[in-house]
Amino acid sequence: MGRGDGSGRLTSPDDADDSGTGILHVDMDAFYASVAVLDDPSLRGRPIIIGGLQGRGVVSSASYEARRFGVRSAMPMAQAMRLCPTAVVVQPEFHRFLEESAKVMAIFRDFTPLVEPLSIDEAFLDVRGARRLWGSPGVIARTLRARVLDTTGLVCSVGVAATKHVAKMASTLSKPDGLLIVPEHDTARFLAARPVGALWGVGPKAAESLQGRGIHTVADIVETPRSVLDRALGPAMGDRIWHLARGLDAREVQTEHVEKSVGHEETFHTDIDDTAILRSEFRRLADQVGARLRKHEWEAHTISIKVRYADFTTISRSQTLSEPTAVSQRIGDAAHELFALVDRRQAVRLIGVRAEKLQAAGGAALALWDDDAEWRRVEGALDGATARFGKGVITRANLIGKRRGGGTLPSSPRPPRRD
């Protein structure tokens, strides 16, 4: 199934059995840092941190050379530089990441039309119908890895399995620059030795809850009564991991992506405890979220906010709206209402606004009284001005002035859409 190299990494030999497989998970290795090396080959082999040095910047990504020092995504830049003082810091060039992502996704679609991008740098591929043209799934995976490297100069790791869940686990274990094939008949053995935190969706808190009950590996989950899992994690997650631990994952590769949420966050250059400033920044973020919703013709049923304090304690609050909306004013009002209920025990380091439970615009029945009609007309005019003249030409009067945030990227960046 796989061979180790002493570091925990597993890879498959060239003659590995791929019987019963057909799902590939392809994950680009240190994608942002690798694109930076493409643009500046002198960076090859050096510890690279992608992010901003100004103020309260955070790490967007890091090369494997930097990760060996403990540098991780979302880490404060100051902490990352203390861990790896010799690192080269590169400002993120998001348009370059999108350009290279488009090339990579095009290569994937050369092998099969059944491609499901998960983010800008990873995707599932269903190659069960591509055998006659390209060979078995293992052969396809090797050919694809070589094609990506030859065409773009970028390296990827690939997991091959019978299901999406196992394929994703396999690609993670093979990183960096690896290929791991899990034949269908070996799925149970492959899963058994994995820690519970390796299962898709089991985060630190869920893992801690399981470990507190003596459940440390996937094999332990298989041997645990379902009622115990439900008490530890709740019925929904208990059901999910009961199935995943047995290699049961009925999800198909979905070529049409439906966004589940849209959000924006800001990390402040200095901690802020001024309520007026924080309310203003919530309004700014709400305007950005609303603009994205309208651009893609979505409406949101739920608005949530995120607040991170100076000590890095993070809370979130959400509110379900009486009617779905894409009106920035309504989103900002909801954010203000939620923020008013937050315990302000210390200064704030980061805030975020997110629109959730999205649906196509116009999907709900029209209300008898449209309280947002006037704001909808105003924001439609603003959208038109932005499309014609660019962002920032017209804005709210109370938002004019220097931004207090660190200018982070939108949350959950996705590959560019195909026209």
Side-chain angles (χ1 to χ4, degrees), residues 167-183:
K168 185 171 175 65
M169 291 178 70
S171 70
T172 299
L173 284 169
S174 73
K175 293 177 81 65
D177 191 16
L179 165 65
L180 180 58
I181 300 171
V182 182

Side-chain angles (χ1 to χ4, degrees), residues 34-43 93 95-97 99-100:
S34 297
V35 173
V37 172
L38 287 182
D39 295 340
D40 183 359
S42 70
L43 297 176
E93 296 286 347
H95 72 279
R96 285 288 296 123
F97 305 147
E99 289 172 1
E100 296 302 322

